[in-house]
Amino acid sequence: AKALQPGSALIRQNLGRAQAAAGRFDDSVAELEEAARRTPENAGVLLELGQALNRVGRSRDALPYLGTAARIDQGNAEIFTTIGLTFADLGEFDRAEQGYRFALQAQPDYAPAYLN
Protein backbone atom coordinates (compact mmCIF):
# COMPACT_ATOMS: atom_id res chain seq x y z
CA ALA A 1 0.00 0.00 0.00
CA LYS A 2 2.84 2.38 0.82
CA ALA A 3 4.40 1.75 -2.61
CA LEU A 4 1.10 2.48 -4.34
CA GLN A 5 0.27 5.59 -2.29
CA PRO A 6 3.44 6.88 -0.62
CA GLY A 7 1.75 10.18 0.22
CA SER A 8 -1.09 8.66 2.23
CA ALA A 9 -0.99 9.62 5.88
CA LEU A 10 -3.52 6.90 6.71
CA ILE A 11 -1.28 4.22 5.21
CA ARG A 12 1.70 5.60 7.17
CA GLN A 13 -0.38 5.61 10.36
CA ASN A 14 -1.49 2.02 9.82
CA LEU A 15 2.06 0.96 9.03
CA GLY A 16 3.23 2.65 12.21
CA ARG A 17 0.64 0.70 14.19
CA ALA A 18 1.67 -2.58 12.56
CA GLN A 19 5.32 -1.93 13.28
CA ALA A 20 4.57 -1.16 16.91
CA ALA A 21 2.59 -4.39 17.20
CA ALA A 22 5.62 -6.22 15.79
CA GLY A 23 7.91 -4.60 18.36
CA ARG A 24 9.65 -2.39 15.78
CA PHE A 25 9.18 0.78 17.79
CA ASP A 26 11.76 3.01 16.08
CA ASP A 27 10.27 2.17 12.68
CA SER A 28 6.84 2.87 14.11
CA VAL A 29 7.95 6.32 15.24
CA ALA A 30 9.35 7.10 11.80
CA GLU A 31 6.10 6.20 10.05
CA LEU A 32 3.97 8.10 12.55
CA GLU A 33 6.22 11.15 12.25
CA GLU A 34 5.64 11.07 8.49
CA ALA A 35 1.88 10.67 8.99
CA ALA A 36 1.90 13.65 11.37
CA ARG A 37 3.91 15.72 8.90
CA ARG A 38 1.31 15.00 6.24
CA THR A 39 -1.72 15.63 8.49
CA PRO A 40 -0.62 18.01 11.26
CA GLU A 41 -4.27 18.71 12.16
CA ASN A 42 -5.10 15.05 12.86
CA ALA A 43 -5.29 14.69 16.65
CA GLY A 44 -5.43 10.89 16.41
CA VAL A 45 -2.16 10.69 14.51
CA LEU A 46 -0.52 13.16 16.89
CA LEU A 47 -1.71 11.12 19.88
CA GLU A 48 -0.32 7.91 18.41
CA LEU A 49 2.97 9.62 17.64
CA GLY A 50 3.19 10.90 21.22
CA GLN A 51 2.51 7.42 22.55
CA ALA A 52 5.12 5.94 20.20
CA LEU A 53 7.71 8.47 21.31
CA ASN A 54 6.98 7.59 24.93
CA ARG A 55 7.58 3.91 24.12
CA VAL A 56 11.07 4.65 22.82
CA GLY A 57 11.99 6.85 25.77
CA ARG A 58 11.51 10.19 24.02
CA SER A 59 8.90 11.63 26.36
CA ARG A 60 10.20 15.19 26.08
CA ASP A 61 9.81 14.98 22.29
CA ALA A 62 6.24 13.67 22.69
CA LEU A 63 4.94 16.72 24.53
CA PRO A 64 4.63 19.17 21.59
CA TYR A 65 2.68 16.62 19.56
CA LEU A 66 0.42 15.79 22.47
CA GLY A 67 -0.12 19.47 23.24
CA THR A 68 -1.18 20.12 19.67
CA ALA A 69 -3.50 17.10 19.76
CA ALA A 70 -5.09 18.44 22.97
CA ARG A 71 -5.70 21.84 21.37
CA ILE A 72 -7.30 20.18 18.36
CA ASP A 73 -9.48 17.71 20.30
CA GLN A 74 -10.18 19.24 23.71
CA GLY A 75 -12.77 16.61 24.56
CA ASN A 76 -10.45 13.60 24.19
CA ALA A 77 -9.62 12.27 27.64
CA GLU A 78 -7.08 9.81 26.24
CA ILE A 79 -4.92 12.66 24.98
CA PHE A 80 -4.87 14.37 28.37
CA THR A 81 -4.19 11.08 30.15
CA THR A 82 -1.27 10.46 27.80
CA ILE A 83 0.02 13.94 28.59
CA GLY A 84 -0.20 13.03 32.27
CA LEU A 85 1.68 9.79 31.70
CA THR A 86 4.33 11.66 29.73
CA PHE A 87 4.91 14.15 32.51
CA ALA A 88 5.01 11.29 35.02
CA ASP A 89 7.73 9.62 32.93
CA LEU A 90 9.66 12.88 33.18
CA GLY A 91 9.20 13.01 36.96
CA GLU A 92 6.97 16.10 36.75
CA PHE A 93 4.18 14.76 38.91
CA ASP A 94 2.33 18.04 39.51
CA ARG A 95 1.99 18.50 35.77
CA ALA A 96 1.04 14.85 35.38
CA GLU A 97 -1.79 15.32 37.85
CA GLN A 98 -2.93 18.37 35.92
CA GLY A 99 -3.12 16.25 32.76
CA TYR A 100 -5.27 13.67 34.53
CA ARG A 101 -7.55 16.42 35.87
CA PHE A 102 -8.01 17.81 32.36
CA ALA A 103 -8.86 14.29 31.20
CA LEU A 104 -11.56 14.06 33.87
CA GLN A 105 -12.95 17.45 32.86
CA ALA A 106 -13.21 16.17 29.31
CA GLN A 107 -14.74 12.86 30.35
CA PRO A 108 -15.67 12.56 34.04
CA ASP A 109 -15.96 8.77 33.96
CA TYR A 110 -12.62 8.08 32.19
CA ALA A 111 -11.15 5.33 34.37
CA PRO A 112 -7.52 5.52 33.15
CA ALA A 113 -7.30 9.11 34.40
CA TYR A 114 -8.51 8.02 37.85
CA LEU A 115 -6.12 5.08 37.93
CA ASN A 116 -3.13 7.25 37.15
Side-chain angles (χ1 to χ4, degrees):
K2 182 178 168 183
L4 293 173
Q5 291 185 318
S8 170
L10 178 59
I11 290 170
R12 299 281 184 151
Q13 181 181 16
N14 287 335
L15 184 54
R17 289 176 182 158
Q19 289 173 330
R24 297 175 58 187
F25 300 117
D26 289 327
D27 293 334
S28 173
V29 167
E31 291 299 336
L32 290 167
E33 284 176 328
E34 184 60 25
R37 188 182 71 74
R38 293 175 185 278
T39 57
E41 72 291 342
N42 185 321
V45 170
L46 297 171
L47 170 60
E48 286 191 61
L49 175 54
Q51 292 168 330
L53 288 166
N54 282 337
R55 275 193 296 274
V56 297
R58 294 175 52 194
S59 296
R60 184 74 55 201
D61 294 337
L63 287 171
Y65 295 107
L66 295 169
T68 300
R71 283 188 292 281
I72 293 168
D73 189 358
Q74 297 176 13
N76 188 325
E78 183 180 7
I79 294 170
F80 291 107
T81 300
T82 302
I83 290 171
L85 291 168
T86 304
F87 278 119
D89 284 346
L90 295 170
E92 298 182 33
F93 300 110
D94 289 342
R95 295 181 85 183
E97 181 180 347
Q98 185 179 19
Y100 305 137
R101 290 185 184 279
F102 278 124
L104 293 172
Q105 285 177 351
Q107 186 177 338
D109 62 346
Y110 192 66
Y114 281 110
L115 291 172
N116 287 293

